[in-house]
Amino acid sequence: MLIGGRLVGAEGDPLGVLNPATEETVGHVPDATDAQLDAAVSAARGAFETWRTTSVDERRAVLTACAASVRGHIEELAVLLTTEQGKPLADARVEIAAFADWLDAHAALPYTDEEITETGTHRVRIRRVPLGVVAGIVPWNYPVVIAAKKIAPALLAGNALVLKPSPHTPLTTLRIGELLADVVPAGVLNTVSGGDSLGPRLTGHPGIRKIAFVGSTATGREVMASAARTLARVTLELGGNDPAIVLPDVDLDEVVPRVFWTCFANSGQLCIAAKRVYVHEEIYDAFAERFASLARSVKVGNGLEDGVQLGPLQNRAQYEKVVGLIKETVGSGARLLVEGAIPDGPGYFVHPTVVDDPADDSAIVTREPFGPVVPLLRFRDLDDVVRRANDSEYGLSGTVWSRDLAAAEELAARIEVGTVWINQEAIPAPDLPFGGHKSSGLGVENGVEGVREHTDTQVLSIRS
Ligand code: NAD
């Protein structure tokens, strides 16, 4: 762990980290004690007193230096990420590069911590004041790029950060902390690892002024309850059950693979993956046939092997949840267009599974699977598909596919979600605000708005 600029080891028994492709232990990390957590928060608080006085441009330079440092270690970090997370090595390389790109993009944001307006007799300064110590809490699906989304805005706004990876995927994050120890002033960035108790200990710590949380909706509720006691600010990026809506005028050759990878990238373990695919009845059969044949052709395996397109589920609990959902779907009488293999033996592998037009109230439609299983659903008219797309507690994002841009845009605006991508895969951008509606979250990350969520506003109203 990186605490106050120093690398710190385990004080008690370390925690083992498994490779989900082999179920072998691939490393150990410290299980942070209360004293180590206190040390991290107090180091951050101490460093904050100086860091808050730096200019935004000085902070931009530190982010850029962090990006360069990580970019110099892409291959090493990508292998480590595949080994602990399971994703194919090519995707791991993309994720490490995205970490660096995210920091660079934040360094270039048109963020300013002070705006001044003047009239003849009145001058107003609106200052964006950093909060203090931010807790960044990250899930296991995209541990590295989500860590960048915690580091970049917190530091640019002038805060110090205590970053906590998931107990399932701590290795790459701690290694990045080690690399950045020489780049970031001591205490401004701290990394702590631990088991299930560490998250609540961190969010409940009286020294934390903001919690930037990414994870499930259930945990998000606990984080918000914990923050109620300290009045720490929160941003919550939570679960989703994102609809993709395919209109009848699309070019199937182009759109089927794009919708497919919007569903199955990272084995479906992506908050903004399409999880319900509504296809117009005029093209449903042709779409389903191509989609199913693509699902059958995908190479699933250990992400370190050449040509593998999808790795395993990341951990046993997630694997059991997804396998259980598939069994429940079959048990409910729904027809599978593709029944993906669930091989015996080591590794949490589930091959892509496609469900043929199940009932709207079936679990595969109403729950967030977070795995490689997707229902295709027939629709006839737009009002009906809008109602069904919005009939969810979630509201994270969605996609709309059509050659008629005006119709697609009008449809997209009726979907109750934070982002709709039209004719493109779901990929967040560092300069655009991203956040969920309804139970998918609170507040936004990314862009200038995301940085401002790491500040309090102070108005100085001056009469001359
Ligand atoms: P999770 O909620 O189980 O865990 C997320 C993180 O919170 C981990 O670091 C975990 O150790 C920590 N944690 C667990 N209990 C805690 C508590 N009581 N207090 C504080 N921290 C606690 O989520 P997960 O299973 O790791 O990730 C999958 C979920 O994350 C999915 O629901 C997915 O949709 C969501 N997700 C959302 C986004 C987004 O941007 N909206 C992005 C990625 C993942």
Side-chain angles (χ1 to χ4, degrees), residues 136-142 146 149 164-168 194-203 211 213-220 222-223 226 236-240 269-272 275 315 318 321 368 370 394 396 434-436 440-441 445:
I137 300 183
V138 175
W140 44 256
N141 61 335
Y142 281 86
I146 295 176
K149 293 177 183 191
K164 188 198 92 60
S166 164
H168 296 294
D196 290 343
S197 78
L198 182 58
R201 284 189 282 141
L202 178 58
T203 58
I211 304 160
F213 174 81
V214 183
S216 64
T217 295
T219 310
E222 289 178 28
V223 169
S226 168
L236 304 174
E237 299 294 349
L238 308 177
Q269 303 167 112
L270 170 60
C271 55
I272 51 179
K275 294 173 181 125
N315 57 72
Q318 190 60 26
K321 193 178 119 185
E368 178 192 38
F370 221 59
Y394 295 113
L396 190 58
F434 173 83
S440 286
E445 54 185 19

Side-chain angles (χ1 to χ4, degrees), residues 144-399:
V144 173
V145 76
I146 295 176
K149 293 177 183 191
K150 305 297 110 200
I151 295 170
L155 269 54
L156 187 63
N159 300 291
L161 182 70
V162 178
L163 179 66
K164 188 198 92 60
S166 164
H168 296 294
T169 51
L171 296 173
T172 319
T173 308
L174 295 196
R175 175 69 184 129
I176 287 174
E178 206 176 328
L179 292 172
L180 301 186
D182 297 332
V183 183
V184 182
V188 170
L189 171 66
N190 306 273
T191 56
V192 290
S193 56
D196 290 343
S197 78
L198 182 58
R201 284 189 282 141
L202 178 58
T203 58
H205 197 289
I208 298 298
R209 298 310 313 136
K210 160 148 182 129
I211 304 160
F213 174 81
V214 183
S216 64
T217 295
T219 310
R221 290 195 172 97
E222 289 178 28
V223 169
M224 196 160 172
S226 168
R229 289 192 286 276
T230 56
L231 285 180
R233 280 75 177 118
V234 290
T235 39
L236 304 174
E237 299 294 349
L238 308 177
N241 192 5
D242 295 1
I245 301 176
V246 187
L247 299 187
D249 64 349
V250 295
D251 173 352
L252 290 177
D253 285 341
E254 191 206 328
V255 166
V256 170
R258 297 178 79 176
V259 174
F260 180 86
W261 287 110
T262 304
C263 297
F264 286 102
N266 209 37
S267 300
Q269 303 167 112
L270 170 60
C271 55
I272 51 179
K275 294 173 181 125
R276 300 174 281 157
V277 181
Y278 294 94
V279 184
H280 194 276
E281 62 176 9
E282 271 175 33
I283 56 162
Y284 183 91
D285 291 337
F287 184 99
E289 192 189 317
R290 288 167 195 233
F291 196 87
S293 101
L294 200 47
R296 287 187 203 99
S297 73
V298 166
K299 185 169 177 197
V300 179
N302 185 326
L304 291 176
E305 286 167 19
D306 276 351
V308 164
Q309 293 168 288
L310 294 179
L313 276 296
Q314 199 283 321
N315 57 72
R316 174 157 290 280
Q318 190 60 26
Y319 170 78
E320 284 172 358
K321 193 178 119 185
V322 170
V323 170
L325 185 58
I326 293 172
K327 285 190 178 146
E328 188 179 335
T329 304
V330 172
S332 73
R335 198 173 87 86
L336 300 189
L337 281 170
V338 182
E339 182 166 4
I342 304 173
D344 288 336
Y348 307 133
F349 294 103
V350 176
H351 290 241
T353 295
V354 183
V355 189
D356 184 16
D357 203 18
D360 280 352
D361 63 355
S362 57
I364 190 62
V365 179
T366 58
R367 276 193 229 147
E368 178 192 38
F370 221 59
V373 48
V374 171
L376 304 184
L377 299 138
R378 254 176 230 273
F379 77 91
R380 183 177 300 170
D381 76 87
L382 289 184
D383 288 344
D384 180 50
V385 79
V386 167
R387 181 191 56 73
R388 291 161 74 193
N390 289 337
D391 184 17
S392 169
E393 69 159 315
Y394 295 113
L396 190 58
S397 74
T399 54

